[in-house]
Amino acid sequence: MRVFVFFDLPVDTAVQRKEYRLFRKHLIKEGFLMLQESVYAKLVVNDAQAGASISRLRQHRPPYGLVQVLKVTEKQFAAMEFITGERESYAEVDTLEGFVVL
């Protein structure tokens, strides 16, 4: 399952830019990878983990702007079509293949 975060935050003042940076740093710390500017995605094992991730996002939401979250299955994610360009290959692990539970 994937959790997508879409956000549109104001960056007009120094305080708003700081809130933007803090939110973005939180996303990266939580394991989200940037797909596009202001679009991040995270691979989660199940719906419970997705819910916990969304709950942590609520705790760190910025005071202004719009943050949206979307959960999709791996099958839905794999059906994504690229209209223009090609997706770059990343060094990060992008699948559950070889997933080890400790």
Side-chain angles (χ1 to χ4, degrees):
M1 177 171 276
R2 304 273 176 150
V3 177
F4 284 89
V5 177
F6 308 91
F7 59 94
D8 186 17
L9 305 178
V11 289
D12 298 327
T13 67
V15 173
Q16 290 173 337
R17 286 189 293 275
K18 181 178 179 182
E19 291 293 333
Y20 173 89
R21 284 192 309 272
L22 290 174
F23 183 69
R24 192 174 166 280
K25 283 182 181 181
H26 173 72
L27 287 175
I28 293 167
K29 187 179 113 190
E30 284 287 315
F32 284 88
L33 301 174
M34 185 171 72
L35 296 178
Q36 292 183 9
E37 194 171 326
S38 299
V39 178
Y40 285 71
K42 178 181 181 178
L43 181 66
V44 294
V45 178
N46 56 30
D47 196 44
Q49 191 178 19
S53 185
I54 292 169
S55 177
R56 286 190 300 275
L57 281 173
R58 281 194 182 103
Q59 294 172 354
H60 291 90
R61 71 177 181 257
Y64 302 103
L66 176 65
V67 177
Q68 298 170 300
V69 179
L70 173 68
K71 296 186 296 185
V72 299
T73 64
E74 273 307 295
K75 186 175 181 181
Q76 291 168 328
F77 180 77
M80 183 187 321
E81 292 186 34
F82 297 93
I83 304 299
T84 60
E86 293 292 324
R87 183 173 189 263
E88 295 180 23
S89 60
Y90 294 101
E92 293 91 359
V93 175
D94 199 17
T95 66
L96 289 176
E97 194 172 299
F99 182 72
V100 177
V101 177
L102 300 176

